[in-house]
Amino acid sequence: MVERTPFLNILTHLILGAGLVLLLLPLWIVFVASTHDFRTVNTVPMPLWPGSHMVENYVFTWQQSQFGPKMLNSLIMAIGVTLGKIIIASLSAYSIVYFRYRLRMVLFWLIFITLMLPLEVRIVPTYAVAANALRPFQEIINVTRISDLADLLFGIRIVLPEWQLLNSYTGLILPLIATATGTFLYRQFFLTVPEELLEAAKMDGSGPLRFFWDILLPLSKANMAALGTIMFVYSWNQYLWPLLVVTDPSYGTAVMQLQRIVPGPLFGEPPRWHIAMAGTLMVMLPPLLVVVFMQRWFVRGLISQDK
Amino acid sequence: MLSRRLIMGAAIAASAIFGLSAATAQAQGRQRFEYWYGLTGQLGEVMADHCRRFNESQTRYEAVCVGQGGYDRAEQNTIAAYRARQHPTIVQIYDAGTVNFMLSGATYNAVTFARDFNMRINWADYFPGVASYYATSRGEMWSFPYNSSSAVMYWNRQAYRSINRNEAAGSWEQLERDLRSLKAAGHACPMAIDFDTWQWVEQFLAVHNQPIATRDNGYAGLNAELSFNKGLLSTHLNNMKRWFDEGLVRIQTAQTGKTLVQAFADGSCAVTMSSIANHGVVGATQTPGMEWSVAMLPVYEGYTRHNSLVGGASLWVMQGKSRGEYEAAAAFLDWIATPAEVQWMPTVTGYIPITTPAFQQMTAAGFYQQPRFAGRETSITSLTFTPPTNNTRGIRLGNFTSIRAELQSELQAAFTGQKSVQQALDDAASRGNQILRRFEQTMRGRELP
Amino acid sequence: MSGKRVTFKNTWLAVLLIAPQIFLIFTFFYWPAGEALYWAFTLEPPFGGEMQWVGWQNFITVFEDPLYWNSVRRSLIFALCSASIAMGIGLLLALFVDRELPGYRGYRFMYFWPYAVAAPAVGLAFRFIFAPDAGFISAINQWFPDLWNPALDGFDAMILIVVANAWSMVAYNFIFFLAGLQSIPRSLIEAGAMDGAGVLRRMRDIQLPLLAPTVFFLIIINITDSFVNSFGIVDITTGGGPARATDLMVFKIYSDGFKGKDYSLAAAQSIVLMGLVVLLTFFQFRYVERRVHYN
């Protein structure tokens, strides 16, 4: 845009600069806290400038907490959830937007409502399901007497095998894929795609799957990137569910580990904030890198066609 | 017309997810059992360390110890796991969780367990004040005490010297005089307080032999009612509010930026009351050269001093595990109860030795003469000052966590001037009683052991 | 509800496409949630075992509690304030970054960071900054004594959690607003410029209306999030206090259920919370989405 608006430009820079300070100040404090030693970090007020203990804090935290393997677990979990979410959400949203069937809106709201109940509330029964994921179906088969029917007709008892998800990547990943953010996002996006595209595709004789794969998906790259980033960060930062479903330390995630080193309010707990903040920054780094890397893809105006 | 690539990709993804569910490593010949602990941070490392040392001290058993990220979470996760039959053999549960576990029917109570698995534990060794907290109303212990503490008063010797006094106040009346002198001598914060009910309400009532609730603080039955809102506590909190208004005490919490321990350790406040477990923390974070010590909680004149309550957590054994796991767990529990291990805990944390023989050995070995640990014996003196009475055995109230939260909120309201102290106490008691009645109704058909 | 005019007819395929998600949400959401919510009509002991059916008793307990209505009020205030601040600032920053002035890449790069930070760190940092004794905000207290004290003043505490929550959502909103702005074809904006519309005018008349679907999406997400996911922020900064000034509904549910192990009371409160959020969302779909033009 070749325009001369010097005053507005200065204002823009001022606002953007203020925004920067606002958004980065807390991160700065976390960083500064991670560079001091135990005594300094506990003086009130804590100094605003970094100290000299950065390397020793980070080395200590890394070794003590064995962040290496934990980061790998977090990575596997986050990637699994991200991919799973993208695939499932796009398929479901496609079904809701581009097909007409009676249960369409009911299913959409069923999916959407899953956003509205906090995990903390349902965590105890969710754990029971994770211990045997096929139990709900077994119970249904029992209650609806299908099992009795099968026994009567065919002489076989339907007993579903036990599918245990605890202490496994599946257990970490599957329950987190089950929520609705992605579906909602894709629905919104699909609604903005011009009808002409579909009309043209239909006239070309392409069926629903071809339309999805060849036309809709490429268009939604920006959304995929946005959703992927959000989901990666979200699943990376999960701590409540992993803490419950994983008791074998070899499956521990990085944020679970971080929880263990953040000083609690207990009596006798030395406030080792310098270690906790060093750990925080280390745990924050991978999602940060993902965010930094991905932003290129989804803010670039990938809709190349200009109407 | 389903794209082949789409199917392939999905199949690969699916097999990757399912295939990665690796089975946990097989035991290499050692009998394993699982132990979930609640402590985090440096104390959590101590827990893990203790386990590691057990594993290294013998070759037959292996303790698999997993931190749960907090006492609340340890209790919650154990409950969730128990419901799914995936629970550990031993779990570390804090004092407020004792009632839930006693009523659950899910625990293997300690006395029976020790008998069934031939443990070497001598129940009489435990300090009476410690044992009574985790014992039934008939004195039978249901869990194994592990990390215990009690409440003490921290006082700054240098600040006291500036008002020409060399010993801590033994009575609240004396403490008030000290606080006034400190204020007059220029100390901006004579005493730091917060809204934690453990030391300011529960321990306060215990050392004065006053009840928190009827029915022996709940030991005698689930139909107990809160009774703290009348009598001494009301008078005392009104005094504290007056002192707060006069600037003799200051509120120091994490929300104000500095906890009372930090405020004491950096010298800004001259007196505070907290758990002995913080003794090490103060030592490690104090301003260099600060001279300070601990003393027993003060008692109002006209009241006889009684023992203070134990705090911390204990270890519970759960039902529904295999014989092999129980044998391993018994070995572990035996090992941590040996005098050497009972003495190890107080050296790496601020917790106290919980058995009389261990305490005697440590005293004889000069532990409490070392400058780093000097003064910690005060907490034991306080804990064992008298044999526990009906009011000082402990607190056994249902959903006590919520009752504590109610009391805390009401105290905040009182100290911020939103209501009078008496109104706040009455409201806390009535809401607390509602909580107790709900708990009683939920547990209908069960009896407190 | 809005929808496409042109659709496919293949119903079986549609069902197949949506089946995986339905399976997942049934197994991992509806079944456990159903169990958890069933507890709202019983008195469920923590470890299980016998429980009693008590019908509406839990709901009556909840509705008769004046402190419950306190938490509903607080939650509404919190949701509205933090959503509007987070969206307002996110939009402002996105609009200005979209202008692509020199250095915009740097701003864009750094505005994304806050989203990557886990809740404990956010809470801690905000406590450091806003605590009255800690030195940053305490400067204000030196000029105007006792003006700022979130530990003792409920109003200040509410400001603190609103700011902390808004902070973590600004980056989220910024990402989506920027993506939305960047997908507005440049030709439209250039056309506006050639018609003589200034920068601000173009923002108001071209970019904002075209952003409407994103705005709608974000309103729903922000409000739902501030009701459902705000536990972490409150827990770490104010703990629900002082004197319940920041006792949000979800915090109360967590305190009662998770800490207090009163699953039935938590379940009853959760049903109410869910009902409230569903109502709010439905309202937004009905009245706000009407005004959103998707094309």
Side-chain angles (χ1 to χ4, degrees):
Chain A
M1 218 74 48
V2 191
E3 254 175 328
R4 306 266 232 97
T5 51
F7 176 63
L8 194 59
N9 287 2
I10 295 179
L11 186 67
T12 307
H13 276 294
L14 276 178
I15 292 190
L16 291 179
L20 203 66
V21 170
L22 220 69
L23 288 184
L24 292 190
L25 184 62
L27 295 182
W28 175 251
I29 291 177
V30 170
F31 171 65
V32 167
S34 73
T35 60
H36 287 295
D37 64 347
F38 181 61
R39 195 175 291 281
T40 325
V41 83
N42 277 306
T43 57
V44 177
M46 188 184 76
L48 263 181
W49 292 108
S52 52
H53 297 261
M54 191 173 101
V55 176
E56 69 184 71
N57 284 348
Y58 282 81
V59 169
F60 176 81
T61 312
W62 183 269
Q63 285 175 346
Q64 180 82 355
S65 311
Q66 298 176 315
F67 266 119
K70 303 286 188 321
M71 293 264 198
L72 186 62
N73 287 336
S74 283
L75 198 66
I76 295 178
M77 176 177 85
I79 291 182
V81 174
T82 305
L83 287 180
K85 237 325 171 354
I86 291 181
I87 295 174
I88 298 226
S90 54
L91 292 179
S92 302
Y94 185 54
S95 168
I96 290 171
V97 172
Y98 278 98
F99 293 79
R100 189 141 271 163
Y101 50 100
R102 259 184 315 206
L103 282 182
R104 189 172 67 107
M105 266 311 162
V106 170
L107 288 180
F108 173 67
W109 276 92
L110 275 184
I111 295 175
F112 195 44
I113 286 179
T114 64
L115 278 182
M116 299 178 197
L117 195 66
L119 176 64
E120 291 88 351
V121 168
R122 50 191 162 90
I123 204 166
V124 171
T126 311
Y127 182 87
V129 170
N132 179 8
L134 292 180
R135 188 176 66 98
F137 302 98
Q138 181 69 54
E139 304 241 348
I140 291 183
I141 291 179
N142 290 345
V143 163
T144 55
R145 300 253 186 266
I146 294 181
S147 59
D148 290 345
L149 197 63
D151 199 17
L152 201 64
L153 290 179
F154 305 111
I156 42 171
R157 283 238 85 136
I158 305 182
V159 174
L160 298 174
E162 212 184 84
W163 186 22
Q164 212 228 59
L165 294 178
L166 303 178
N167 284 321
S168 66
Y169 291 118
T170 322
L172 279 174
I173 293 174
L174 269 190
L176 293 180
I177 300 187
T179 60
T181 328
T183 314
F184 186 37
L185 177 70
Y186 269 103
R187 173 201 182 251
Q188 297 307 100
F189 169 65
F190 288 161
L191 285 175
T192 64
V193 172
E195 310 253 11
E196 293 79 29
L197 280 180
L198 181 52
E199 284 169 355
K202 271 189 151 182
M203 285 202 293
D204 278 351
S206 84
L209 291 169
R210 164 135 276 152
F211 176 67
F212 181 75
W213 186 257
D214 286 343
I215 301 183
L216 221 49
L217 273 193
L219 268 186
S220 57
K221 280 211 184 90
N223 274 277
M224 266 203 297
L227 183 65
T229 313
I230 301 281
M231 271 304 113
F232 186 88
V233 173
Y234 164 80
S235 49
W236 181 275
N237 283 335
Q238 278 299 300
Y239 64 91
L240 203 58
W241 176 248
L243 206 55
L244 190 55
V245 80
V246 165
T247 49
D248 180 352
S250 60
Y251 283 96
T253 64
V255 177
M256 272 169 70
Q257 198 53 38
L258 185 63
Q259 276 280 308
R260 299 219 174 95
I261 63 179
V262 170
L266 299 172
F267 294 132
E269 179 63 73
R272 298 190 314 178
W273 288 110
H274 56 313
I275 304 288
M277 292 298 110
T280 304
L281 279 184
M282 284 194 290
V283 168
M284 204 176 89
L285 214 53
L288 197 62
L289 288 175
V290 166
V291 162
V292 163
F293 177 71
M294 292 301 278
Q295 59 173 297
R296 243 189 309 149
W297 294 91
F298 66 86
V299 290
R300 194 95 283 269
L302 284 166
I303 302 186
S304 47
Q305 74 216 65
D306 234 328
K307 286 198 294 262
Chain B
M1 258 193 302
L2 203 56
S3 159
R4 245 172 307 169
R5 272 180 289 156
L6 188 58
I7 301 181
M8 279 266 282
I12 291 177
S15 59
I17 291 181
F18 290 117
L20 281 174
S21 309
T24 51
Q26 292 301 326
Q28 308 109 334
R30 286 203 194 202
Q31 172 63 57
R32 307 173 118 205
F33 75 96
E34 255 190 76
Y35 159 42
W36 289 4
Y37 59 87
L39 293 172
T40 54
Q42 200 230 4
L43 293 178
E45 282 166 31
V46 169
M47 298 291 107
D49 224 22
H50 214 183
C51 279
R52 206 180 32 82
R53 290 179 46 242
F54 170 72
N55 292 339
E56 285 167 6
S57 75
Q58 42 77 43
T59 53
R60 211 163 143 204
Y61 304 113
E62 187 180 341
V64 177
C65 305
V66 186
Q68 297 299 306
Y71 280 143
D72 286 336
R73 296 225 176 91
E75 191 184 5
Q76 174 73 325
N77 293 0
T78 306
I79 290 175
Y82 181 80
R83 283 163 164 262
R85 295 289 176 269
Q86 302 284 337
H87 53 286
T89 313
I90 298 183
V91 62
Q92 179 193 38
I93 295 295
Y94 57 159
D95 46 15
T98 307
V99 182
N100 273 337
F101 273 68
M102 277 196 170
L103 286 171
S104 64
T107 57
Y108 201 146
N109 74 56
V111 163
T112 317
F113 182 79
R115 201 172 44 230
D116 289 348
F117 290 92
N118 297 320
M119 283 176 65
R120 294 187 301 266
I121 283 215
N122 181 1
W123 298 106
D125 278 348
Y126 288 115
F127 289 125
V130 172
S132 62
Y133 203 99
Y134 303 110
T136 63
S137 51
R138 286 179 299 278
E140 204 181 57
M141 287 184 69
W142 275 33
S143 66
F144 296 89
Y146 187 45
N147 49 317
S148 300
S149 64
S150 197
V152 294
M153 180 167 66
Y154 290 77
W155 60 289
N156 189 321
R157 280 187 186 278
Q158 288 161 313
Y160 260 62
R161 264 207 294 277
S162 77
I163 57 167
N164 292 321
R165 281 185 50 78
N166 280 316
E167 54 176 30
S171 71
W172 280 96
E173 286 84 353
Q174 178 61 49
L175 183 62
E176 183 179 356
R177 287 192 288 271
D178 290 347
L179 296 181
R180 286 192 196 285
S181 315
L182 285 167
K183 183 96 191 172
H187 294 265
C189 170
M191 181 157 91
I193 66 172
D194 65 8
F195 298 112
D196 193 325
T197 61
W198 186 72
Q199 68 267 47
W200 304 106
V201 174
E202 299 164 39
Q203 298 283 8
F204 171 81
L205 289 174
V207 294
H208 289 87
N209 196 20
Q210 299 293 306
I212 257 202
T214 61
R215 314 238 55 207
D216 301 338
N217 279 354
Y219 272 75
L222 287 175
N223 52 353
E225 283 188 7
L226 296 171
S227 58
F228 57 71
N229 54 324
K230 307 265 189 290
L232 182 61
L233 186 65
S234 176
T235 318
H236 172 63
L237 286 176
N238 271 305
N239 287 344
M240 292 269 266
K241 174 70 167 60
R242 222 177 355 102
W243 300 340
F244 173 68
D245 292 333
E246 292 175 38
L248 299 179
V249 310
R250 202 161 75 179
I251 296 181
Q252 297 285 161
T253 61
Q255 284 76 32
T256 64
K258 244 197 285 197
T259 62
L260 39 72
V261 173
Q262 283 175 298
F264 179 79
D266 73 5
S268 42
C269 293
V271 178
T272 192
M273 300 185 195
S274 184
S275 165
I276 191 64
N278 280 323
H279 191 274
V281 175
V282 173
T285 53
Q286 65 174 82
T287 42
M290 188 170 100
E291 288 172 48
W292 57 280
S293 186
V294 291
M296 292 197 285
L297 298 179
V299 176
Y300 276 98
E301 286 162 13
Y303 287 86
T304 329
R305 176 185 289 280
H306 279 71
N307 63 306
S308 55
L309 300 174
V310 72
S314 64
L315 300 182
W316 291 80
V317 181
M318 307 296 294
Q319 294 273 5
K321 308 302 287 185
S322 70
R323 186 163 186 91
E325 284 165 304
Y326 283 138
E327 280 170 10
F332 177 71
L333 291 167
D334 256 336
W335 182 79
I336 61 174
T338 56
E341 291 310 312
V342 174
Q343 291 175 51
W344 177 78
M345 184 76 84
T347 36
V348 291
T349 65
Y351 291 118
I352 58 177
I354 45 182
T355 62
T356 321
F359 176 55
Q360 283 165 349
Q361 274 181 28
M362 287 169 80
T363 318
F367 179 85
Y368 295 103
Q369 263 86 54
Q370 296 176 48
R372 216 177 104 201
F373 304 120
R376 290 195 191 180
E377 70 278 10
T378 315
S379 62
I380 300 185
T381 319
S382 180
L383 189 60
T384 55
F385 203 79
T386 62
T389 69
N390 282 346
N391 296 326
T392 62
R393 265 197 280 191
I395 299 173
R396 190 151 295 167
L397 297 172
N399 204 347
F400 195 50
T401 322
S402 294
I403 298 179
R404 274 178 172 163
E406 293 288 346
L407 188 47
Q408 206 176 51
S409 294
E410 294 299 332
L411 288 180
Q412 285 170 349
F415 275 76
T416 53
Q418 289 171 40
K419 43 172 92 166
S420 72
V421 167
Q422 188 57 55
Q423 184 64 46
L425 285 175
D426 289 338
D427 289 344
S430 87
R431 290 186 64 86
N433 280 331
Q434 283 172 11
I435 293 176
L436 285 176
R437 300 289 71 82
R438 264 187 76 83
F439 187 80
E440 186 184 2
Q441 194 188 357
T442 310
M443 296 295 171
R444 193 163 63 195
R446 304 184 201 208
E447 232 181 75
L448 262 186
Chain C
M1 308 260 175
S2 47
K4 294 282 185 196
R5 282 179 291 118
V6 190
T7 59
F8 290 103
K9 296 271 195 308
N10 193 339
T11 309
W12 280 113
L13 182 61
V15 170
L16 205 65
L17 287 172
I18 206 171
Q21 181 147 28
I22 298 295
F23 166 78
L24 279 176
I25 65 173
F26 171 73
T27 315
F28 293 109
F29 179 82
Y30 280 102
W31 182 265
E35 236 183 293
L37 297 179
Y38 172 67
W39 293 340
F41 297 95
T42 67
L43 284 180
E44 177 74 16
F47 275 86
E50 294 157 30
M51 53 49 184
Q52 318 143 46
W53 178 265
V54 291
W56 297 105
Q57 181 189 324
N58 294 323
F59 289 95
I60 297 178
T61 311
V62 164
F63 289 133
E64 276 182 352
D65 183 0
L67 292 179
Y68 185 73
W69 294 107
N70 172 60
S71 76
V72 173
R73 249 193 332 266
R74 305 280 174 185
S75 302
L76 284 171
I77 294 175
F78 175 77
L80 288 172
C81 290
S82 82
S84 32
I85 294 179
M87 288 185 65
I89 296 185
L91 181 60
L92 192 66
L93 295 178
L95 280 173
F96 283 174
V97 166
D98 186 54
R99 294 194 62 213
E100 295 189 3
L101 296 181
Y104 83 98
R105 267 184 256 266
Y107 287 123
R108 194 185 66 190
F109 176 82
M110 285 185 273
Y111 284 158
F112 288 157
W113 288 6
Y115 188 64
V117 186
V122 176
L124 177 75
F126 273 86
R127 235 170 52 195
F128 270 162
I129 300 177
F130 284 96
D133 290 343
F136 305 120
I137 296 283
S138 69
I140 296 186
N141 279 344
Q142 263 161 15
W143 296 325
F144 303 101
D146 274 333
L147 180 67
W148 174 259
N149 192 343
L152 293 179
D153 181 339
F155 185 69
D156 295 348
M158 179 60 87
I159 294 181
L160 175 57
I161 58 170
V162 166
V163 169
N165 194 47
W167 183 85
S168 36
M169 289 302 280
V170 164
Y172 186 94
N173 294 333
F174 175 74
I175 293 178
F176 282 102
F177 276 134
L178 195 59
L181 283 173
Q182 300 259 323
S183 65
I184 296 176
R186 285 280 165 221
S187 52
L188 275 183
I189 302 180
E190 271 157 23
M194 288 202 291
D195 277 348
V199 174
L200 291 178
R201 190 89 191 283
R202 290 201 301 271
M203 282 183 187
R204 206 187 68 196
D205 291 339
I206 302 179
Q207 294 179 300
L208 281 184
L210 286 175
L211 261 189
T214 313
V215 172
F216 175 65
F217 169 75
L218 286 176
I219 292 181
I220 302 238
I221 296 287
N222 273 264
I223 299 234
T224 307
D225 187 84
S226 53
F227 271 102
V228 173
N229 287 329
S230 43
F231 169 76
I233 294 280
V234 177
D235 192 35
I236 293 170
T237 52
T238 63
R244 303 189 189 86
T246 54
D247 193 17
L248 303 186
M249 287 166 85
V250 72
F251 185 78
K252 201 166 190 325
I253 291 175
Y254 192 85
S255 306
D256 287 341
F258 205 88
K259 293 189 177 158
K261 311 295 180 303
D262 188 345
Y263 293 153
S264 295
L265 199 62
Q269 292 179 51
S270 304
I271 291 187
V272 178
L273 174 66
M274 211 165 111
L276 182 61
V277 179
V278 168
L279 216 67
L280 277 176
T281 311
F282 193 74
F283 176 84
Q284 287 168 85
F285 264 87
R286 208 162 228 319
Y287 293 105
V288 178
E289 202 188 28
R290 283 239 181 101
R291 304 183 186 191
V292 171
H293 300 287
Y294 280 101
N295 274 325

